[in-house]
Amino acid sequence: MTIEALVARYGLAALFAGAAIEGETVVVAGGLLAHQGLFPLPGAMIAAALGSFAADQAWFAAGRRFRGHRWVKRAQAKSAFAKALGMLERHPIGFIFAFRFIYGFRTVSPIAIGTTKVRARTFVLVNAVSAAVWGVVFSAVGYLFGNAFERFLGKLHPHGWTLWYIVGGFVLLGLAIAGVHWWRTRE
């Protein structure tokens, strides 16, 4: 099966999963692939937003349900957890909206918020709006810079395969960074 066929078949599902697991790198790559016409830009934006929303809802629910569990206690021991609670206390709605845009706070924040008295309904509503904005912004970045990216790649290699190697490299790099970050912060 060709790369185009794989992307055409699993592209948006893979983008959904990548947005949930890794984040921005995969979503920007999804915008680049939408620019290539492998799937529609609105579909990429929706898949990215839904993946991010679903992951953060799951982390929030885990923080709420397992407050006393040892893995939540380990998360509470991290400095980012305390910082997240401090920002949440000062600006609850603003922080719920912004945490996915702040490096190092994307995973720990919904867990931290889940351990507080923030109403689940409030979190769902603000998280949905934030995920929609995030999905649109990062998909659009990949899409809008697609022409420049293509010109750059065209200078490197005249064949279309270079794009696939670069996008695949970005996805792998993002997953590697996420893996290293997870390994270093798991305590």
Side-chain angles (χ1 to χ4, degrees), residues 17-182:
I21 297 168
E22 194 285 320
E24 293 84 0
T25 306
V26 173
V27 177
V28 170
L32 286 168
L33 294 173
H35 180 80
Q36 291 291 309
L38 294 170
F39 40 79
L41 179 61
M45 291 173 170
I46 291 168
L50 289 175
S52 179
F53 174 79
D56 293 334
Q57 284 304 129
W59 286 121
F60 174 83
R64 178 71 37 108
R65 170 72 174 87
F66 300 106
R67 284 182 183 135
H69 196 273
R70 71 180 190 280
W71 71 266
V72 173
K73 297 287 186 195
R74 273 188 284 168
Q76 287 174 330
K78 297 178 183 181
S79 64
F81 196 97
K83 289 177 187 176
L85 289 178
M87 287 187 271
L88 178 69
E89 199 172 288
R90 287 188 301 280
H91 307 285
I93 302 299
F95 181 70
I96 294 170
F97 181 86
F99 74 79
R100 73 176 23 87
F101 295 95
I102 305 169
Y103 180 77
F105 283 84
R106 185 159 182 243
T107 303
V108 74
S109 293
I111 297 169
I113 296 166
T115 64
T116 69
K117 294 183 180 184
V118 169
R119 293 178 45 190
R121 181 177 183 191
T122 300
F123 185 79
V124 167
L125 294 173
V126 177
N127 187 35
V129 172
S130 178
V133 170
W134 182 86
V136 167
V137 167
F138 284 98
S139 296
V141 165
Y143 189 85
L144 294 173
F145 286 99
N147 285 334
F149 195 65
E150 285 174 348
R151 281 193 301 269
F152 173 72
L153 291 178
K155 290 178 183 175
L156 292 178
H157 196 285
H159 306 314
W161 288 102
T162 302
L163 175 65
W164 294 109
Y165 294 129
I166 299 293
V167 169
F170 276 132
V171 171
L172 290 174
L173 176 64
L175 291 173
I177 290 169
V180 168
H181 179 71
W182 172 81

